[in-house]
Amino acid sequence: MKKATILSAIILIGIISSCGNNNATAPQNGATPPLSLKVERLAPKSITVYSQFSATLEGKQNVEIWPKMGGFIQNIYVEEGQKVKKGQLLFQLETSTLNQDANTAKATINLAQVEVDKLVPLVEKGIISHVQLETAKAQLAQAKSSYASIASNINYSRITSPVDGYIGEIPYKTGTLVSSTMPNPLTTVADPSEIRAYFSLSEKELLAIKKLIPLDSKNQMNLDKAPEVKLEMVNGEEYPQSGKITLINAIINSKTGSVTARADFNNAANILNSGGSGKIKIPSTYENVYEIPQMATIDLQGKKLIYVLNKDNTVSTKTIEIIAQTQMGYLVKDGMESGTTIVTEGVTKLKEGMTISPIN
């Protein structure tokens, strides 16, 4: 009996000892280890942010070609897309009827001239009155005027290019009857050596743009000193040459609440096309600012908050005042100090005063 009692006591002592050892290795008070989260040390820097605006592209010259007289198209001397020079013949309208009218008008001039020549000596001799001669001269002048009008129409039948450029679509073919009242022009000649990108600014955006452009002596925007702009082409690539803002309408359209603006780009390489589209990118450069990653912020009652890492690895919330937005996050200028460390991940899991295990 004594042996059984002694054996039971030994087993009980072993169990108690084992429990004591387990308690020694477990976290005190059942606490879980702190979260391991990435942090970032902030430093002020200069950052350029681009505001983007949808734009339509037009050539420097985009001239519609209309006939000044009605007639059938006799010849078309150009092809769509062809490069032409100023004064080059594009279309020839049929003029057979006009030529006949011109011959008739010439004959009328000749007859009127003969009549004047016949009356001059008679007037000088006093055989007829001076009034008859003046009437004959008036008829001669009228005949010459009629001929000049017909000759002008014949000249109008030769339709030439008013500018250097490229031929657009030609909707009418040889033999088509055309006139100045038809719905579409004969063609369009576009000069794409310089491309003009037209875009719209809201009233709020206009006020922001005005801050980027210095004023002249008349307190007007000095566009010569406006920042250079970029053009993102329709394929997402950036046009290799920068452009200049050359127009900002000062009158806001009451119907749309916007104003029209224009930026010009050199297109000597003929990369851009008149009638195309793209996005104008206007730069704004901010000095000595801090860029806060978007994933490091939380929203609380309309405010943006971040978690700042303290020296003892606890975190505390801080409200930030955003001055601009980037693709990565937000720019902050005031209320921050260089060297401040913020938590950049898992911020939704944090609370004021929590301890974390920072990962740099």
Side-chain angles (χ1 to χ4, degrees):
M1 186 70 177
K2 285 184 177 180
K3 291 181 178 180
T5 302
I6 293 171
L7 180 61
S8 297
I10 293 172
I11 293 172
L12 180 61
I13 291 170
I15 292 172
I16 294 172
S17 175
S18 174
C19 291
N21 290 336
N22 288 339
N23 288 338
T25 58
Q28 296 181 357
N29 301 323
T32 58
L35 294 173
S36 296
L37 299 176
K38 290 182 179 180
V39 296
E40 179 181 329
R41 188 182 179 121
L42 299 180
K45 51 188 174 181
S46 175
I47 297 178
T48 299
V49 178
Y50 289 91
S51 301
Q52 298 189 9
F53 306 91
S54 297
T56 55
L57 310 181
E58 291 186 11
K60 178 181 179 181
Q61 295 278 0
N62 205 31
V63 183
E64 293 182 341
I65 307 299
W66 294 85
K68 293 183 179 180
M69 56 166 282
F72 292 96
I73 298 177
Q74 188 175 55
N75 286 303
I76 301 175
Y77 296 99
V78 290
E79 298 287 343
E80 294 177 348
Q82 180 180 335
K83 186 176 182 180
V84 296
K85 295 289 186 180
K86 180 178 180 180
Q88 183 173 335
L89 182 62
L90 308 179
F91 301 90
Q92 174 67 59
L93 303 185
E94 189 271 329
T95 60
S96 57
T97 302
L98 287 175
N99 290 335
Q100 293 174 6
D101 292 341
N103 292 334
T104 300
K106 282 184 178 180
T108 302
I109 291 174
N110 292 334
L111 289 174
Q113 186 66 57
V114 169
E115 183 67 16
V116 169
D117 294 342
K118 182 180 70 175
L119 295 179
V120 169
L122 297 178
V123 171
E124 292 175 350
K125 295 177 181 179
I127 298 175
I128 62 174
S129 69
H130 186 74
V131 174
Q132 287 179 277
L133 177 59
E134 293 302 318
T135 300
K137 287 182 178 180
Q139 291 174 344
L140 175 61
Q142 184 177 4
K144 289 181 177 179
S145 176
S146 296
Y147 175 78
S149 178
I150 296 170
S152 293
N153 284 333
I154 292 175
N155 289 333
Y156 292 153
S157 70
R158 289 174 52 84
I159 302 172
T160 59
S161 176
V163 294
D164 294 344
Y166 290 84
I167 297 294
E169 181 184 1
I170 303 177
Y172 305 102
K173 306 307 177 184
T174 303
T176 305
L177 178 63
V178 296
S179 69
S180 59
T181 59
M182 59 189 183
N184 298 310
L186 290 170
T187 190
T188 301
V189 179
D191 177 6
S193 61
E194 182 180 281
I195 287 292
R196 296 175 174 180
Y198 290 89
F199 58 102
S200 295
L201 298 171
S202 67
E203 188 173 358
K204 183 178 180 180
E205 291 166 341
L206 176 61
L207 291 174
I209 293 297
K210 283 185 173 181
K211 294 180 180 180
L212 303 176
I213 303 175
L215 300 179
D216 58 19
S217 58
K218 298 180 180 179
N219 284 330
Q220 301 293 322
M221 286 183 289
N222 187 350
L223 296 182
D224 290 336
K225 296 183 179 180
E228 292 186 338
V229 299
K230 301 290 186 179
L231 175 65
E232 182 180 307
M233 298 182 290
V234 70
N235 62 357
E237 295 180 4
E238 191 171 279
Y239 184 63
Q241 296 190 43
S242 298
K244 288 287 293 182
I245 297 176
T246 54
L247 168 69
I248 296 180
N249 197 330
I251 301 176
I252 297 175
N253 187 315
S254 58
K255 294 181 180 179
T256 63
S258 63
V259 299
T260 299
R262 191 187 88 204
D264 294 349
F265 295 83
N266 184 286
N267 192 37
N270 202 28
I271 296 175
L272 303 175
N273 296 309
S274 181
S277 60
K279 291 181 180 179
I280 292 295
K281 299 169 66 176
I282 301 178
S284 300
T285 300
Y286 298 88
E287 303 289 347
N288 297 318
V289 294
Y290 301 88
E291 187 173 22
I292 308 296
Q294 187 173 358
M295 62 186 303
T297 65
I298 56 174
D299 294 306
L300 182 63
Q301 297 180 347
K303 295 181 179 180
K304 288 285 186 185
L305 303 179
I306 58 173
Y307 279 98
V308 175
L309 181 67
N310 301 316
K311 293 181 178 180
D312 60 357
N313 286 345
T314 61
V315 296
S316 56
T317 56
K318 181 177 182 62
T319 303
I320 58 174
E321 297 294 332
I322 298 170
I323 60 174
Q325 189 168 347
T326 68
Q327 291 183 340
M328 299 294 296
Y330 307 100
L331 298 187
V332 177
K333 186 173 182 65
D334 298 325
M336 300 295 294
E337 294 181 4
S338 180
T340 298
T341 302
I342 65 172
V343 183
T344 58
E345 70 171 3
V347 292
T348 56
K349 304 175 184 178
L350 298 178
K351 292 182 180 180
E352 180 80 19
M354 283 184 62
T355 300
I356 69 168
S357 176
I359 302 174
N360 292 313

